[in-house]
Amino acid sequence: VHLVESGGRLVQPGDSLRLSCVVSGDTFSNYAMGWFRQAPGMEREFVAGITWSGGNTDYADSVKGRFTISRDNAKNTVYLQMNSLKPGDTAVYNCAASRYIHGPPPRFVGEYNYWGQGTQVTVSS
């Protein structure tokens, strides 16, 4: 299974950005999907997750109300819409695929089976 993220770039505080992650190599709807991020010197942290159908989503408290995760199973793509970006959102953002399709979206790194290489998001004035 191959995951490729795109959309990261340098933006100013308050700007919006949409990340995309295209999945290939298996049936996309077999997987719950998640977005994680890792800032320099920090551990990778959960940002958002979505079930295989898109019917259930979950967010870290730090992004709730600002970020929205969605998926298009016809396009094998998961998105992360990020609004009201802050300097603290600066990180490498990775998407990940999980075979845990029963219940809410997984939150832990160990529950995800496949990872993309990441895309850099920098929020700075």
Side-chain angles (χ1 to χ4, degrees), residues 45-74:
E45 65 172 353
F46 172 79
V47 175
I50 188 167
T51 51
W52 70 272
S53 67
N56 193 355
T57 58
D58 190 22
Y59 298 92
D61 288 345
S62 59
V63 307
K64 200 171 293 184
R66 299 189 298 123
F67 290 11
T68 302
I69 188 171
S70 62
R71 66 189 293 161
D72 185 338
N73 285 355

Side-chain angles (χ1 to χ4, degrees), residues 68-88:
T68 302
I69 188 171
S70 62
R71 66 189 293 161
D72 185 338
N73 285 355
K75 295 183 178 180
N76 293 354
T77 303
V78 61
Y79 305 97
L80 185 67
Q81 177 67 43
M82 304 186 293
N83 298 330
S84 302
L85 282 161
K86 306 174 181 179

Side-chain angles (χ1 to χ4, degrees), residues 74-115:
K75 295 183 178 180
N76 293 354
T77 303
V78 61
Y79 305 97
L80 185 67
Q81 177 67 43
M82 304 186 293
N83 298 330
S84 302
L85 282 161
K86 306 174 181 179
D89 295 318
T90 296
V92 174
Y93 283 72
N94 296 91
C95 67
S98 171
R99 295 196 191 101
Y100 287 93
I101 62 171
H102 302 292
R107 277 182 159 247
F108 300 104
V109 169
E111 294 178 301
Y112 286 82
N113 304 98
Y114 302 100
W115 294 81

Side-chain angles (χ1 to χ4, degrees), residues 6-8 17-21 35 78-80 82 93 119 121:
S6 63
L17 198 60
R18 189 177 80 159
L19 305 183
S20 300
C21 172
W35 285 96
V78 61
Y79 305 97
L80 185 67
M82 304 186 293
Y93 283 72
T119 186
V121 173

Side-chain angles (χ1 to χ4, degrees), residues 2-17:
H2 192 49
L3 290 74
V4 179
E5 303 96 335
S6 63
R9 61 182 177 90
L10 172 64
V11 296
Q12 294 188 339
D15 283 354
S16 296
L17 198 60

